[in-house]
Each structure stands twice: as C-alpha cells, then as structure tokens.
Amino acid sequence: MTFLLAIGLAFGINAAQAQLIDPEQPQSEPILPDEEAIVPPADDVPTPQASDQAEGDDRLDRLFAELKRTRNPRAAKPLADGIWAEWRRSGSATTDLYVEWANTALERDQFNVALDFLDQVVLRDPDYAEGWNRRATLHFHMANYKKSMNDIARVLELEPRHFGALSGMAAILERNGNVEAALNAWLQVAELYPAMESAQSAIERLSEELADDPA
C-alpha cells in the first residue's frame, strides 16, 4: 500500500480519491447539481434530539472501547467501520446532499467544485466534525497543508478521538520535517486504534528515524 493511499484510507476516503492532487493542474468543466434534483430547503438542519444524540454517543463509546481491546486488524476493521458510520451521520438531508455532490466532484477530478460543496457543509453545520474532516482531506490532497491542519484542529475540537484526522495531522507533520510531532500523533492514533497497521508501521519507521538521528 502506498503512503498516499494509506493516508487516504485513514482519512476515510476511497482508493479512487487517494491520490495527490496537483493544484496547478487545469480542472475540467465544473459539474452542477441535476436540475431535477430536489434540493432541501436551506434551513432544514434539525436540532438533534437529546435521546438520539445520547444513543449515538453510547454507540461510539462502546465501539471505541472494543476497538481499543482488539489487536487483530481483521477483527478491528468492522469496529472502525462502525465508528466511521457514526461519524458520517449528519442528521441533515441538505448536508448529506452537499457531501454526495462533493464525492461526485472528487470522482470526476473536479476538486475546486468539491471544495465549494464542502465549504457549504462546514458553513451550514459547523458542529458536524466529519464535514471538517472531509474538507481537511481535500485540502491535504490539494497540498493545501496549512488549511488542512486548520480543519483538522476543528475536527479534534469536536471529536478528540478522530483517528482519521490524527493520521492526517501525522502525515502533514512528517512532510514538514517534524518527525517527533508526527510520531506523537501516530502514537495517539495507536492508543485509540491499536490494530491500525499503517499507524504501527509509521511508529516503527519514525522511531527508527529518530533513533538514528545524531541530533
């Protein structure tokens, strides 16, 4: 598995999207939503019911507790997938539609269009951590590392356990030459998700690099 693909999967995007984007590359004509699509009203973001929020929090707590106890990568994957599924619940039809349009734009290599849609997601629902994570992912693959880090910081404010965002942070720190900080970020990932093979590989590699550094 390549470095970029591993980071893409850690961020929660699919293999087709896990490629470094050249920001200088001319973009194709932008896509527009289907004229016949039913666009939900702009004020449709519901206030989550306390009971629904509590149930979602309980599910996440149980999944994280089980994930932390699981050392087998194959057994851990469905637990991690369950966590991603909880994170992706927006509770808004409009937010879901914008995310869907952003995904379609990514599949067509229309990155600026995808960014426009994800800007709308975080503007409309600033407490939706996965909206910030998806935009952080896009910024990462467009080599907008500072913007990606800003979005990652917001993700971690909303969900400190977000191992995808922490993985992205580690990747950016390493690219910037901050090996020790990158290692610390990967250690946080491994604390949450011990069976993540990419985290374990990165910890081993960066630990060896620091050990070999005469400074």
Side-chain angles (χ1 to χ4, degrees):
M1 181 180 293
T2 67
F3 173 76
L4 288 172
L5 178 56
I7 294 303
L9 295 177
F11 263 121
I13 64 176
N14 62 39
Q17 298 165 6
Q19 53 183 314
L20 184 62
I21 294 166
D22 181 357
E24 303 300 327
Q25 180 73 21
Q27 305 299 323
S28 53
E29 288 300 314
I31 58 169
L32 295 175
D34 189 334
E35 291 182 358
E36 297 181 356
I38 300 175
V39 181
D43 59 353
D44 81 324
V45 180
T47 301
Q49 297 296 321
S51 59
D52 293 341
Q53 185 66 47
E55 287 179 8
D57 291 344
D58 287 345
R59 283 194 296 270
L60 273 174
D61 289 344
R62 289 194 299 270
L63 286 165
F64 268 109
E66 188 63 26
L67 186 66
K68 192 169 185 176
R69 291 193 294 265
T70 304
R71 296 297 189 270
N72 183 285
R74 182 173 296 180
K77 187 178 185 305
L79 298 170
D81 288 346
I83 290 170
W84 279 111
E86 291 297 323
W87 283 339
R88 288 174 180 138
R89 296 181 192 275
S90 73
S92 163
T94 302
T95 296
D96 291 344
L97 191 58
Y98 279 128
V99 170
E100 181 181 344
W101 286 341
N103 289 341
T104 300
L106 280 170
E107 290 169 359
R108 299 180 183 183
D109 293 341
Q110 296 171 331
F111 310 114
N112 292 329
V113 176
L115 183 59
D116 286 341
F117 288 135
L118 293 176
D119 285 345
Q120 288 298 314
V121 169
V122 300
L123 179 65
R124 290 175 44 78
D125 194 355
D127 292 330
Y128 177 45
E130 193 54 29
W132 294 97
N133 183 58
R134 284 174 180 264
R135 197 174 73 169
T137 304
L138 179 57
H139 280 312
F140 177 87
H141 289 289
M142 294 176 73
N144 299 331
Y145 299 129
K146 184 175 180 180
K147 291 180 179 180
S148 184
M149 285 289 275
N150 289 338
D151 283 353
I152 287 170
R154 180 59 178 155
V155 176
L156 296 176
E157 286 179 12
L158 295 166
E159 173 51 277
R161 301 172 296 184
H162 204 297
F163 47 78
L166 286 166
S167 300
M169 175 184 288
I172 294 170
L173 289 168
E174 184 176 356
R175 281 177 176 272
N176 289 337
N178 198 334
V179 176
E180 185 173 357
L183 175 59
N184 288 335
W186 280 119
L187 288 170
Q188 291 180 64
V189 174
E191 178 70 17
L192 296 162
Y193 188 170
M196 182 189 281
E197 293 176 303
S198 59
Q200 295 298 339
S201 296
I203 289 169
E204 181 178 355
R205 173 173 50 79
L206 295 177
S207 296
E208 291 177 356
E209 184 174 337
L210 287 171
D212 293 339
D213 187 349

